[in-house]
Amino acid sequence: QSALTQPASVSGSPGQSITISCTGTSSDVGGYNYVSWYQQHPGKAPKLMIYEVSNRPSGVSNRFSGSKSGNTASLTISGLQAEDEADYYCSSYTSSSTFRFGGGTKLTVL
Amino acid sequence: EVQLVESGGGLVKPGGSLRLSCAASGFTFSNAWMSWVRQAPGKGLEWVGRIKSKTDGGTTDYAAPVKGRFTISRDDSKNTLYLQMNSLKTEDTAVYYCTTEAVAVASPVFDYWGQGTLVTVSS
């Protein structure tokens, strides 16, 4: 089972907004509202940033938001800050009772 | 504070076996669904498998690449999760993370992660 499709890299300047897309199929992203997003800094474990498409866990900045349309989910980071530079992964529950991750997107803050 | 501490990683030859452990604390382990997620060097995240709580049947699900070779189990008396890996292949080389599912948020997501343990499969 291949990974969900994410852009390999995105970049933005401090204060700007960026959006990362995550494309799957009707058997995962399009079929369930169980899309989540994870932030991973180099050498660290991933951290949950968004769950159920658009919900933020306690403690996560409201600069992070999520949405979904059809088979594509998106993560938007507004007011970009230097500490947002990291790898971002989407994940979706699937109709096979398994999980698929995206290939990951490297965010560079210019 | 939730803590997940993996151990048991190391170097193993192709075809060999290894058992990883994950010691959990800071939450009611027996009620938690738990997953293993791996990350090959320089690559993305890959879900390995999960085990439900005994209350919910204690059943397991696995990703296709590891099904039939890997087994997830739990010892609720020790608050410990296990990953038994058999018939290891070079492509199993990765950092293996232990994660909780739906502890902080009531949703199938990986809400807490351990620091990971490196498994290297090489001759």
Side-chain angles (χ1 to χ4, degrees), chain A residues 46-93:
Chain A
K47 174 187 175 184
L48 176 66
M49 304 301 285
I50 294 286
Y51 68 98
E52 289 181 356
V53 176
S54 59
N55 294 316
R56 282 185 308 276
S58 174
V60 171
S61 170
N62 59 10
R63 297 186 298 105
F64 291 82
S65 62
S67 62
K68 189 183 85 166
S69 177
N71 294 339
T72 298
S74 299
L75 172 71
T76 298
I77 308 174
S78 58
L80 213 53
Q81 299 180 0
E83 63 258 34
D84 299 332
E85 185 163 293
D87 293 327
Y88 290 85
Y89 295 90
C90 63
S91 176
S92 176
Y93 190 66

Side-chain angles (χ1 to χ4, degrees), chain A residues 38 40 45 52 89 98-99 101, chain B residues 39 45 47 97 107-108 110 114:
Chain A
Y38 301 85
Q40 186 180 35
E52 289 181 356
Y89 295 90
T98 61
F99 293 88
F101 280 97
Chain B
Q39 186 170 35
L45 302 173
W47 180 76
Y97 293 102
S107 181
F110 312 110

Side-chain angles (χ1 to χ4, degrees), chain B residues 32-74:
Chain B
W33 295 22
M34 302 291 295
S35 275
W36 288 96
V37 175
R38 68 184 180 182
Q39 186 170 35
K43 303 296 184 182
L45 302 173
E46 181 184 24
W47 180 76
V48 172
R50 69 123 74 107
I51 185 167
K52 298 179 181 178
S53 64
K54 286 193 168 52
T55 304
D56 292 315
T59 56
T60 51
D61 296 293
Y62 298 96
V66 308
K67 200 167 187 177
R69 300 188 298 123
F70 289 13
T71 301
I72 298 174
S73 62
R74 62 193 301 157

Side-chain angles (χ1 to χ4, degrees), chain B residues 63-84:
Chain B
V66 308
K67 200 167 187 177
R69 300 188 298 123
F70 289 13
T71 301
I72 298 174
S73 62
R74 62 193 301 157
D75 186 338
D76 291 343
S77 68
K78 295 182 178 178
N79 287 355
T80 301
L81 176 73
Y82 301 101
L83 178 64
Q84 177 67 45

